[in-house]
Amino acid sequence: SNSVTVIVPDKFYPFIANNPTYQTIYTGFLQGFNACSLPDKTPLLPCSNIETASQAGLPQGLRHTPPHDLDPRISIAWRPFNDNKTVIRAGFGIYTMTTLGPMSFNSGIIALSDLLTYNNSFTNGSPSFQFPLTSPPGAAASLGGGDFEEGNNPYWKDPTTAQWNLTLERQLTSSTAIRLSYTGQESYHLPITIDLNQIPASTTPYTIPNNGYSVVDPRAPYQNWNLLMDSESIGTQSYSAGTVEITQRASHGLTFQANYTFAKNISDAQGTDAPSAYAGEEPYAVEIANAYNIKYDRGNVVGMPRQRFLLTGSYQLPFGKGQAFAGPGFLNPVIGGWTLSTVTTIQTGQWLTPTMPPADDQSNTNMIVRSTGGAVARPDCVANPYLNQTPQQFFNPSAFALPPVNAGRFGDCGVGILQGPHMIDVDAGLAKRFNIGERLHVRFEATFTNLPNHTNFAPPAMNITSPSFGVLQSALPQGSGGNRTGQLALRLDF
């Protein structure tokens, strides 16, 4: 059947009882979705079916609870030599997380009544209507709309991830150790929103009949609805990384931890086809472009740089009493006790996705309307995107093209195929404690973000039809690799 069945908890059963009053409410409820034709429209579309949870074999919460979540975990540690300087560790675990946020109230945001909205306006300083009136004089109800935002699969499964690691750790000196690690992760049952009413891509143009009631192409599965956004637990993600870490415990005034990571993280469940920042659990009502091929959206995860170096540490400068450069005793209160600290981050750029206006999509799947639900159109990739890179042309615009007219397919550029500008951020501080008395101390601090004032560019515009496509125009925010800032502080401890 091409009719949608609307399932409601049993307590709403009066909607379908043999009572004229309830029947009126029931019809208005469906017409509020444009789920069946209004009486003055011809030909009439049959109203969608409506069933109670019990009739559909569902719990009253309209969602089955998976009883099979099993999260085993195991870890081992082994010293292969007759000393305590080398250890090998390994672990494996499965973790399941209940989706919160948007996924917990999707079913509560659908229209459960005829919701009418009227915009007020002023004419010669007077409003068209004002309280207690709630609508303009003579306003008539306008039923219909056609979207269902947003349902969950009743057999929804909670996202699950399998994680494993292998680590070799070796003590080099009494205060220095090195650690080599491999970390892997496979996630599944991740949330993805699809449009159940989408048609496959083809060379046949998307056509809405001019019959007074239909809002979709005759090939759409459900003729009496428009967008049917549905959240499915079908997404996947793969992560693997190698890390080298050196730890220096306090020795000769120096302590630090430095690590370098080379990682690869790909997923088809990033929340949108063109992510530009860390995605949340799943943005509400953000659907993928091609419901018939979720792998079309599989690509590099935007917030995971391929390479990252992080250094945190402090160093007590070797000046003053008891240090390598003691100097005259009377200078000790001035030159002694200074500590230099840093947090330094160097990483490759985030992964970016080329886009194009929905009107230029040639899949004939009504991308313009579906873009209101978050679907993003992508162009074709035709050449090397990295060509004589400059801030004015970070990406080669000639490397991308709009798909041929009536191509009957989506653009072939993938998700996260472009690497944005790198980041070098050296934050540093200088501090000293002055002892004024036995219980009175003054601490001076000078801290700076991005001390060398290196320009870290924000990602450029990614719409290939924009004049600013691929142009680095702005820096990252302050505190996140942006322009240098400094702060002086004086603190009294007693």
Side-chain angles (χ1 to χ4, degrees), residues 118 120 127-137:
Y118 301 99
N120 208 340
S128 298
F129 61 95
Q130 57 187 355
F131 190 81
L133 296 178
T134 58
S135 62

Side-chain angles (χ1 to χ4, degrees), residues 98-441:
T98 300
T99 50
L100 304 174
M103 299 305 302
S104 66
F105 58 72
N106 276 356
S107 298
I109 305 181
I110 62 174
L112 298 179
S113 63
D114 298 331
L115 178 62
L116 307 178
T117 301
Y118 301 99
N119 294 322
N120 208 340
S121 61
F122 282 83
T123 302
N124 297 326
S126 299
S128 298
F129 61 95
Q130 57 187 355
F131 190 81
L133 296 178
T134 58
S135 62
S142 177
L143 300 177
D147 292 350
F148 191 101
E149 302 178 13
E150 166 178 0
N152 290 345
N153 189 316
Y155 293 92
W156 177 269
K157 296 179 181 179
D158 290 326
T160 302
T161 179
Q163 302 178 11
W164 56 91
N165 64 81
L166 176 64
T167 299
L168 170 63
E169 190 168 359
R170 173 71 179 177
Q171 181 180 340
L172 302 179
T173 70
S174 60
S175 57
T176 306
I178 185 171
R179 177 185 296 169
L180 307 177
S181 301
Y182 166 75
T183 305
Q185 174 178 297
E186 290 287 334
S187 299
Y188 43 96
H189 299 157
L190 300 180
I192 289 180
T193 295
I194 64 174
D195 178 14
L196 294 177
N197 219 20
Q198 181 183 341
I199 64 174
S202 72
T203 56
T204 303
Y206 191 97
T207 304
I208 300 175
N210 186 20
N211 54 21
Y213 69 86
S214 182
V215 293
V216 293
D217 185 282
R219 294 169 291 172
Y222 307 103
Q223 286 293 293
N224 50 358
W225 296 75
N226 191 4
L227 289 176
L228 277 174
M229 296 190 206
D230 181 57
S231 292
E232 300 280 346
S233 50
I234 54 178
T236 60
Q237 175 257 352
S238 298
Y239 171 84
S240 59
T243 302
V244 178
E245 181 179 337
I246 299 178
T247 301
Q248 169 74 37
R249 291 195 294 267
S251 176
H252 302 289
L254 176 65
T255 178
F256 70 86
Q257 184 177 69
N259 63 73
Y260 166 78
T261 300
F262 185 90
K264 186 175 183 180
N265 193 8
I266 58 176
S267 176
D268 52 30
Q270 299 192 57
T272 173
D273 298 48
S276 58
Y278 282 102
E281 151 190 335
E282 189 215 23
Y284 165 71
V286 176
E287 63 179 271
I288 62 174
N290 188 359
Y292 293 89
N293 180 19
I294 65 172
K295 300 306 179 187
Y296 176 70
D297 296 323
R298 188 170 177 83
N300 289 301
V301 174
V302 60
M304 179 61 62
R306 180 73 79 226
Q307 301 182 68
R308 188 172 193 261
F309 171 79
L310 175 64
L311 169 67
T312 61
S314 64
Y315 176 58
Q316 185 176 358
L317 299 181
F319 303 109
K321 184 178 180 180
Q323 301 296 322
F325 304 98
F330 68 91
L331 289 179
N332 183 68
V334 177
I335 65 174
W338 290 94
T339 300
L340 181 67
S341 59
T342 184
V343 176
T344 297
T345 305
I346 303 174
Q347 64 184 36
T348 54
Q350 61 178 286
W351 299 103
L352 305 174
T353 302
T355 67
M356 67 181 184
D360 291 319
D361 175 72
Q362 298 298 323
S363 65
N364 294 320
T365 59
N366 201 17
M367 177 65 80
I368 292 179
V369 170
R370 290 190 300 107
S371 66
T372 63
V376 176
R378 304 202 297 267
D380 286 346
C381 291
V382 297
N384 181 10
Y386 307 108
L387 188 62
N388 301 323
Q389 282 186 297
T390 66
Q392 291 71 38
Q393 185 178 294
F394 197 75
F395 299 126
N396 175 20
S398 300
F400 309 94
L402 301 176
V405 175
N406 205 29
R409 60 171 175 80
F410 296 94
D412 60 21
C413 283
V415 167
I417 61 171
L418 300 176
Q419 200 169 57
H422 66 263
M423 183 183 76
I424 300 176
D425 183 21
V426 179
D427 302 337
L430 184 65
K432 175 178 170 57
R433 177 178 174 179
F434 297 90
N435 298 321
I436 298 177
E438 183 178 350
R439 297 184 178 181
L440 188 62
H441 315 282

Side-chain angles (χ1 to χ4, degrees), residues 391 421-422 454-461 468 470-478 481-483:
H422 66 263
H454 174 79
T455 301
N456 293 305
F457 287 102
S468 58
V471 180
L472 303 182
Q473 302 183 93
S474 59
L476 292 174
Q478 290 184 346
N483 297 334

